Amino acid sequence: MDWNMEIEDLAKGYAESETQCACLLCGKQFERGRIYEMDGELYDAGGAVRCHIRQRHGNTADFLLNQPASLTGVTEIQKQLLQLLSRGMEDGEIARSMGIAQSTVRNHRFKLREKEKQARLFLAMMEALEKKTQNAVGKSDQGMMEEVHASATMLDDRYSITPQEREKVIRTYMDENGALLRFPAREKKKIVVLREIMKNFKPDREYSEKEINRILERIYAQDYPTIRRYLIEYGFMDRSKDGSVYRVKE
């Protein structure tokens, strides 16, 4: 998911342009001027992307709430509270459902409102700073830093990678056909390589383990199971409990 999108677009889960409507949650695109049949109904691009989000993702609020706490800044109890609020439940119902006092629910409501104020102030402050200095905080001396993928399982300096560093790693560890020459030992370089490997997978489909192995074997025949394991560990892919189905993690 592109976290640089406008807040309004992030909240509704899709972005619109002159030529298409694109789901921000998985990247699926719907061309303007086409009619899409979904659930026995006909939709234009805007209606189709909204229907797609309902079918595939449930709703945008739940999708956003289920992002890692390192991205949302929301605690587990606040997440649960927000989910119950989204169902239209009153404080008393929420208190009974969560097994807490009604006053505790009100206290959490207050904290969430304060968090919203802080977020708005922070966004305004960052925008003012960028306009004043014409420099984004995400820049380094070598240029803009790479975006962290939304499903990352850890957030630290291993993601402090510039585009120049990324290109150098790819040239060093991968050939012109995208095959891996050797798997890097440094964590930062692993992330660059794994992100590049993920370009071989589509976000809107499921893969069997046999399909995953076949794709990864073409990329790194020496030890493709290790690559598969790292794709799971680093949050690039999801795997079903029985290991039979793999999906690009959104």
Side-chain angles (χ1 to χ4, degrees):
M1 190 169 188
D2 184 357
W3 301 109
N4 291 317
M5 299 298 296
E6 296 291 332
I7 292 178
E8 181 182 352
D9 291 336
L10 289 173
K12 67 185 183 182
Y14 65 94
E16 301 178 79
S17 69
E18 292 182 1
T19 59
Q20 66 181 20
C21 295
C23 174
L24 298 177
L25 313 186
C26 68
K28 189 172 180 62
Q29 299 173 351
F30 298 87
E31 296 178 20
R32 291 196 183 277
R34 284 188 56 186
I35 299 298
Y36 296 85
E37 184 176 355
M38 305 172 76
D39 284 345
E41 300 287 340
L42 299 179
Y43 297 95
D44 61 9
V49 72
R50 289 189 291 272
C51 182
H52 160 77
I53 289 173
R54 289 194 302 272
Q55 289 179 340
R56 177 74 189 277
H57 308 290
N59 64 70
T60 310
D62 283 344
F63 180 88
L64 294 173
L65 275 174
N66 285 320
Q67 297 304 304
S70 55
L71 290 176
T72 64
V74 174
T75 67
E76 191 60 35
I77 193 168
Q78 288 173 338
K79 172 183 170 181
Q80 188 179 354
L81 176 66
L82 287 168
Q83 288 172 329
L84 296 176
L85 284 171
S86 71
R87 298 175 192 168
M89 295 176 67
E90 300 291 337
D91 287 358
E93 295 174 296
I94 293 172
R96 288 190 294 274
S97 177
M98 296 179 65
I100 57 178
Q102 200 164 329
S103 59
T104 304
V105 175
R106 290 195 295 270
N107 184 48
H108 279 298
R109 276 182 178 270
F110 173 78
K111 288 181 178 179
L112 287 168
R113 284 196 297 270
E114 290 300 300
K115 190 184 288 285
E116 181 185 10
K117 291 178 188 176
Q118 291 168 354
R120 289 179 180 276
L121 178 59
F122 181 76
L123 288 173
M125 182 175 64
M126 293 297 288
E127 185 173 346
L129 177 63
E130 288 190 22
K131 285 181 179 178
K132 182 177 180 180
T133 64
Q134 295 185 338
N135 283 310
V137 172
K139 285 185 178 179
S140 71
D141 292 339
Q142 291 78 36
M144 290 296 294
M145 308 302 288
E146 291 282 287
E147 286 290 325
V148 179
H149 61 284
S151 54
T153 54
M154 74 294 284
L155 292 174
D156 51 32
D157 61 358
R158 75 189 74 188
Y159 287 96
S160 179
I161 306 164
T162 65
Q164 292 86 347
E165 290 173 323
R166 175 183 171 278
E167 290 173 11
K168 184 178 179 180
V169 169
I170 292 173
R171 287 197 306 269
T172 302
Y173 290 92
M174 306 186 82
D175 67 18
E176 63 275 9
N177 297 315
L180 189 59
L181 302 174
R182 64 185 188 279
F183 193 56
R186 289 189 60 191
E187 295 297 304
K188 182 183 291 191
K189 294 178 180 180
K190 284 179 185 175
I191 289 170
V192 172
V193 166
L194 292 171
R195 178 175 281 172
E196 192 69 13
I197 288 173
M198 283 302 298
K199 292 180 180 179
N200 293 275
F201 300 97
K202 297 179 180 179
D204 56 350
R205 64 157 293 188
E206 296 181 345
Y207 295 87
S208 67
E209 186 167 288
K210 185 179 291 186
E211 289 175 307
I212 293 288
N213 289 343
R214 186 165 59 246
I215 293 169
L216 294 180
E217 189 173 10
R218 290 201 305 266
I219 296 169
Y220 194 52
Q222 296 95 311
D223 191 8
Y224 62 87
T226 293
I227 305 299
R228 187 184 66 216
R229 175 168 58 84
Y230 274 115
L231 290 176
I232 299 295
E233 287 184 5
Y234 280 66
F236 287 99
M237 298 200 85
D238 257 336
R239 179 174 56 194
S240 61
K241 290 183 179 180
D242 62 4
S244 63
V245 177
Y246 290 72
R247 302 179 186 86
V248 174
K249 197 166 184 179
E250 300 170 348

